[in-house]
Amino acid sequence: MSGLTSQLPSPASSSTPTPTPLGPAAGGQAPGQAKRRLLPATAASAEMNSAVDRNPSPSSTTAIVRSDSPLPSTGRKRRQTTTAACAPCRKRKSRCDGQRPSCTACVERGTNCEFQTNAAETHTQALKRKFNELQDRTSAHEQIFDILRSRPEKDAIEVLKRIRQGVDAATILRHVTVGNIMLQLSLVPEARFRYEFPYMNEMPSFLTRRENPYLDSEMYGYALRTPAVPSQLQALPPPVTRESQSLSPEPDSDVEQQLAPYWKPYHAAQIIDPYLDEVRPSRWTNVSTDDVLMRKLLQSYFLYESSWFAPLHKDYFLRDMAEERHHFCSPLLVNAVLANACYYCRDVEYRGQHWNPKFIGYQFLAEARRLFDIESAADRPRISPIDAQGQYKIKEWECHQLMTIQACGLLTLVYNYNGSDAIGWGYTVRAIDIAHQIGLFDGARGDLDRHTQCVRDYTAWALYIYQGTHRYHCFRAPLVKDPPRSPLPDPHQYPGWYGELWVRYPFGLPRTPTHHGLLVKARADLLTICIDFANLAFRESASPIAELPVAHILSFYKRLIWWRETLPDPLTPKKIVMPNQLKLHMYYNLILVNILQPIVRMGDDLSLSHWTFSHKSPRDAYLDAKIHFETAFRLYYLRHGFEFPDPFLGQFMSALTKLTLDTIDQDPDSPYIEEWRSTVLLAAKGIYEQSRSIYVLKALLQITIGLMTPRDVERLKHFARIEANQEIREPLEEPIHSGWRAMSVGYEPSPESLTHQLGHLSMSSPPPR
């Protein structure tokens, strides 16, 4: 099947950057079951055995997949070979089983287990690696010294500034040798600065006239104390030294850790995960042998995507990828992840040209589609009663199908970015078919270990949420109407189930949690409300919008208010700062706008007769939601900017543009007209910057430009730094096949898809210059 789509957010693993392994009971034989005598493993059977026992256990990550079978030649079991013992076991000269992150001996003694080697690396190999790294660092410092001695004074001063800021020698050397030093070294995302609004620098007054919890947020408070960078110079923040880093005292590393997200844009951070540094993606794909580039792609993917619409669990995926296991990682899944990641990494060329074979994302997608055709064609094994390996074969097949479902979600997203969601939706349909075959939505199974069950449940919720929200935005009824039978656990009680996404900001600050589990759970709860609404409001008929009674709409409003009031502290308006946290609040307020708009249009008399639970009128609640939506949108830009790719921002940019242009049309003589114009310019600027990487937003940009006045288009070209003689509305090189209801707010009777809107635009006047 050439066009298929599915999207899944996924939770599972441990609260540490690596998943906790399983205990012996989880992976061993059931009580009362006859024990089977094991024979010495051959080269062929060793590989098969490495996949047989995949049950993660509380004490071992390696034991769940590797089967180093004991020799039965004597009555005494032979000790399992260990590549390298941990440091505490070497010091006390005790036997170490080499299990990571903590060996059995250290777990039993309660000592801190530390390995001085990488996975599958001997101590001799580790010494050689460290020696080579030391030589490389020494060589880098010598080359930096030569640069300071031989380069022009202006360049040498730039290098010296970066040294004083704490940038490592290898990074400086790479910037100097790979590109233009004055350009590369001036791009300092770690500098403390904030972005500046185009057209009008201040927060619009109409956002401050009503009670607005987002203006009381810590993020906005810190932004006001951070120097703004003019929009023309956003990429060139001033140099920052340790002395100038704090505008207020930062007494210890804990305070620095807490404040780093408030001072610095998110794109300055890096994912901290031990397995991410060890993975060798070239072992999983035929597209590239450049492991450095592909690790950078994985960094970009997990930094931006893994807490929003990720169908796979980071910890299990990276662990198996690093240790070359096939329980939670496969070539299909790796190629699908890398195809998706190409849209998030600014170093990848031709990002906005998905049809170009030179675009490496095109190559990863082609390889993923080839592997998908192979994996999806695999039928369920037929087992005979005398087949001793029957149950294992079925579980192995289900495991591969689970990864195929996850890959479907990633391929769906790629087609969405390319403006072909009408084609990519087929992958979602296929993923749902596979999910029913393996009973993915049916809840817990007693024959599975807890790690496999965790990944299944995480994937089930991811698939349910994606298919439902996709249909919600296309104004269609979801295909899967009921949530999975296994509920998502409470992240406070079971943080290890979700794992944590740790990031580190520059200058060696301590790592910072992103509250991954809290975000995944809160987002799932919010979107479950949307899916329930879609089940009632939307149909498959030509007229998809059902006339819901006001009482039903208000019941959804109450659920949304309860959701906001029960948010955990890191996700409240007071504390939010990470991009996905801000998007969560944008999403929430936009949903409120959508469901309240029909009630407001009924008039106060009719709507107030049902409005008995709040001191606010429906109109006041609607206006508050609009104001809060725009405030969260502006806070996102103020802290993080729009030039780093984030495809899901397009939805919010489209809605804000539509809301503001409608407001201008309704009251063209308002004293707020210039502030409204600044909102349109900010959203349009964001659409333009995102369209450099995301092709579907090129189409949205065309529609946006068609709604703006020629004078505002010229202003946009100025703030987006586009040459006066350059066409801003460039022709689309490839057709758009999208059912996305762009520029649509509320539930209009006949909302038009993006493809239809482009068709109307092509018959209108030529684009403004």
Side-chain angles (χ1 to χ4, degrees):
M1 180 177 271
S2 63
L4 304 163
T5 345
S6 142
Q7 163 73 35
L8 330 140
S10 121
S13 171
S14 69
S15 56
T16 62
T18 60
T20 323
L22 297 177
Q29 292 174 307
Q33 184 179 358
K35 295 187 177 180
R36 180 168 54 91
R37 184 181 181 89
L38 299 178
L39 299 177
T42 64
S45 65
E47 181 178 354
M48 182 186 73
N49 289 341
S50 70
V52 172
D53 200 8
R54 310 253 187 190
N55 347 356
S57 74
S59 61
S60 159
T61 307
T62 51
I64 61 177
V65 192
R66 225 169 249 152
S67 92
D68 299 319
S69 305
L71 296 174
S73 56
T74 67
R76 187 175 54 190
K77 288 189 177 181
R78 185 174 177 181
R79 184 168 63 92
Q80 187 177 13
T81 302
T82 302
T83 306
C86 67
C89 286
R90 296 188 74 198
K91 185 175 181 179
R92 60 179 171 253
K93 302 186 184 305
S94 61
R95 289 183 176 181
C96 180
D97 56 13
Q99 295 177 5
R100 301 185 184 223
S102 296
C103 72
T104 303
C106 288
V107 170
E108 291 174 351
R109 288 176 170 83
T111 57
N112 184 24
C113 186
E114 294 181 354
F115 285 87
Q116 297 174 344
T117 63
N118 292 333
E121 186 181 56
T122 65
H123 286 289
T124 302
Q125 293 169 337
L127 286 173
K128 289 180 180 179
R129 172 178 55 81
K130 292 175 182 178
F131 176 77
N132 292 334
E133 290 174 352
L134 182 60
Q135 279 190 321
D136 291 342
R137 285 198 297 270
T138 303
S139 174
H141 285 90
E142 290 174 350
Q143 293 179 61
I144 292 293
F145 179 81
D146 289 338
I147 288 171
L148 291 173
R149 182 176 56 186
S150 60
R151 288 292 183 110
E153 183 177 359
K154 187 175 182 181
D155 290 357
I157 290 174
E158 290 296 328
V159 173
L160 184 60
K161 285 180 180 179
R162 272 54 196 181
I163 293 175
R164 291 174 63 87
Q165 290 172 12
V167 182
D168 65 276
T171 301
I172 295 176
L173 185 63
R174 184 168 62 252
H175 287 167
V176 172
T177 55
V178 173
N180 182 325
I181 183 174
M182 296 308 296
L183 174 63
Q184 296 290 337
L185 291 181
S186 61
L187 299 177
V188 192
E190 63 265 26
R192 176 175 300 180
F193 75 102
R194 66 174 172 86
Y195 292 84
E196 186 180 64
F197 297 130
Y199 193 61
M200 301 184 72
N201 298 341
E202 302 300 324
M203 191 72 77
S205 61
F206 63 84
L207 299 181
T208 65
R209 294 176 65 88
R210 304 174 71 90
E211 183 181 348
N212 192 340
Y214 297 95
L215 295 184
D216 294 330
S217 66
E218 294 179 3
M219 175 185 174
Y220 185 55
Y222 283 112
L224 293 179
R225 288 179 277 159
T226 306
V229 177
S231 57
Q232 293 86 348
L233 301 174
Q234 287 166 357
L236 305 175
V240 178
T241 64
R242 273 289 186 181
E243 292 74 24
S244 66
Q245 264 235 322
S246 59
L247 303 180
S248 59
E250 298 182 8
D252 54 39
S253 61
D254 290 339
V255 176
E256 287 189 69
Q257 173 185 335
Q258 295 171 11
L259 295 185
Y262 296 96
W263 290 125
K264 301 176 178 69
Y266 186 65
H267 53 76
Q270 282 192 322
I271 296 292
I272 301 300
D273 189 293
Y275 284 118
L276 193 55
D277 298 328
E278 298 176 12
V279 296
R280 300 179 65 182
S282 59
R283 299 287 185 94
W284 298 86
T285 179
N286 296 324
V287 172
S288 174
T289 59
D290 189 345
D291 284 325
V292 174
L293 170 63
M294 290 188 283
R295 277 194 289 265
K296 190 168 187 178
L297 291 175
L298 292 173
Q299 266 277 352
S300 299
Y301 172 79
F302 287 112
L303 187 66
Y304 289 100
E305 176 69 1
S306 67
S307 293
W308 193 249
F309 265 139
L312 55 88
H313 188 283
K314 175 183 72 72
D315 291 351
Y316 288 110
F317 171 74
L318 288 179
R319 183 202 65 186
D320 280 15
M321 189 178 180
E323 300 184 357
E324 299 186 23
R325 302 171 179 174
H326 290 76
H327 194 49
F328 301 119
C329 184
S330 70
L332 166 60
L333 191 53
V334 170
N335 280 277
V337 169
L338 292 172
N340 196 289
C342 290
Y343 293 87
Y344 290 90
C345 183
R346 295 181 69 187
D347 292 345
V348 174
E349 295 183 308
Y350 311 108
R351 283 194 314 279
Q353 302 177 21
H354 64 87
W355 62 90
N356 190 337
K358 294 181 180 179
F359 173 43
I360 194 172
Y362 172 98
Q363 301 168 40
F364 284 125
L365 177 61
E367 178 68 2
R369 290 175 58 182
R370 182 186 71 83
L371 294 170
F372 172 81
D373 291 340
I374 297 173
E375 293 288 346
S376 62
D379 294 328
R380 184 183 184 90
R382 295 184 178 182
I383 307 303
S384 67
I386 61 173
D387 190 350
Q389 293 287 322
Q391 290 304 312
Y392 160 67
K393 291 177 181 178
I394 291 177
K395 288 184 180 180
E396 185 181 41
W397 174 80
E398 289 181 344
C399 181
H400 283 283
Q401 296 305 302
L402 183 65
M403 289 184 283
T404 301
I405 292 173
Q406 296 171 343
C408 281
L410 295 161
L411 295 176
T412 295
L413 288 182
V414 172
Y415 279 98
N416 289 353
Y417 304 158
N418 298 341
S420 301
D421 60 82
I423 299 172
W425 174 247
Y427 282 103
T428 302
V429 175
R430 179 61 179 145
I432 293 172
D433 290 342
I434 297 173
H436 288 308
Q437 291 178 35
I438 65 174
L440 190 64
F441 302 116
D442 296 341
R445 282 171 39 181
D447 62 331
L448 299 177
D449 61 83
R450 65 184 180 90
H451 290 293
T452 301
Q453 185 65 60
C454 174
V455 174
R456 281 174 59 95
D457 292 342
Y458 194 84
T459 305
W461 274 95
L463 178 56
Y464 166 73
I465 291 297
Y466 176 74
Q467 63 85 32
T469 53
H470 178 88
R471 301 291 277 180
Y472 170 82
H473 289 295
C474 292
F475 292 14
R476 291 291 187 269
L479 299 184
V480 181
K481 299 184 180 301
D482 298 319
R485 293 182 183 176
S486 293
L488 288 174
D490 185 343
H492 291 103
Q493 296 182 19
Y494 304 98
W497 194 90
Y498 297 90
E500 182 55 277
L501 190 71
W502 296 91
V503 298
R504 175 170 291 153
Y505 286 84
F507 296 126
L509 295 177
R511 64 180 187 172
T512 302
T514 61
H515 305 291
H516 171 74
L518 297 178
L519 182 65
V520 169
K521 180 64 164 62
R523 181 177 168 277
D525 290 343
L526 174 64
L527 295 182
T528 298
I529 300 175
C530 291
I531 295 172
D532 289 345
F533 183 90
N535 284 328
L536 289 177
F538 304 143
R539 301 185 287 254
E540 286 298 329
S541 61
S543 177
I545 309 298
E547 292 292 336
L548 287 185
V550 175
H552 286 186
I553 297 177
L554 294 182
S555 70
F556 284 106
Y557 176 78
K558 292 178 183 178
R559 288 176 64 184
L560 289 167
I561 296 300
W562 178 87
W563 175 87
R564 183 199 64 198
E565 292 176 347
T566 56
L567 281 173
D569 186 61
L571 300 184
T572 58
K574 180 77 172 177
K575 298 288 187 180
I576 55 172
V577 63
M578 303 285 186
N580 286 337
Q581 297 169 1
L582 289 159
K583 287 193 295 186
L584 183 70
H585 281 260
M586 284 188 260
Y587 216 150
Y588 161 73
N589 286 293
L590 183 57
I591 294 170
L592 283 180
V593 169
N594 287 336
I595 70 168
L596 288 175
Q597 192 177 73
I599 298 179
V600 172
R601 288 177 176 172
M602 295 177 185
D604 288 341
D605 292 340
L606 180 59
S607 59
L608 283 174
S609 63
H610 299 83
W611 195 273
T612 59
F613 55 87
S614 174
H615 65 279
K616 294 180 181 179
S617 68
R619 180 172 179 78
D620 286 339
Y622 172 76
L623 292 176
D624 283 348
K626 284 179 60 178
I627 287 173
H628 297 165
F629 170 61
E630 180 172 344
T631 308
F633 181 87
R634 284 180 172 269
L635 287 178
Y636 183 108
Y637 175 79
L638 202 63
R639 177 68 284 150
H640 306 292
F642 290 150
E643 74 268 25
F644 276 77
D646 190 340
F648 300 101
L649 285 175
Q651 174 186 344
F652 306 124
M653 294 168 177
S654 165
L656 185 58
T657 302
K658 173 67 173 175
L659 284 169
T660 309
L661 289 175
D662 286 350
T663 303
I664 292 174
D665 290 342
Q666 294 166 9
D667 192 1
D669 299 323
S670 170
Y672 301 122
I673 192 71
E674 293 303 311
E675 293 181 322
W676 292 337
R677 177 172 285 113
S678 75
T679 299
V680 173
L681 289 171
L682 176 62
K685 179 176 181 290
I687 295 171
Y688 171 78
E689 291 179 345
Q690 292 291 311
S691 71
R692 303 301 90 190
S693 301
I694 312 301
Y695 183 73
V696 69
L697 297 185
K698 274 191 174 182
L700 181 62
L701 179 65
Q702 289 206 7
I703 295 172
T704 303
I705 296 301
L707 298 174
M708 297 171 63
T709 65
R711 180 74 182 276
D712 284 341
V713 173
E714 291 302 317
R715 292 187 178 109
L716 173 60
K717 293 174 72 172
H718 168 71
F719 291 114
R721 301 189 294 280
I722 302 172
E723 297 294 333
N725 60 350
Q726 181 181 346
E727 179 71 68
I728 189 172
R729 195 161 75 187
E730 299 174 351
L732 296 174
E733 296 91 339
E734 289 289 308
I736 296 291
H737 304 283
S738 176
W740 176 28
R741 268 55 178 172
M743 292 293 176
S744 177
V745 178
Y747 305 111
E748 302 171 3
S750 301
E752 288 191 326
S753 68
L754 184 62
T755 301
H756 287 131
Q757 293 180 55
L758 284 173
H760 295 321
L761 189 65
S762 64
M763 296 183 290
S764 62
S765 58
R769 296 182 64 90

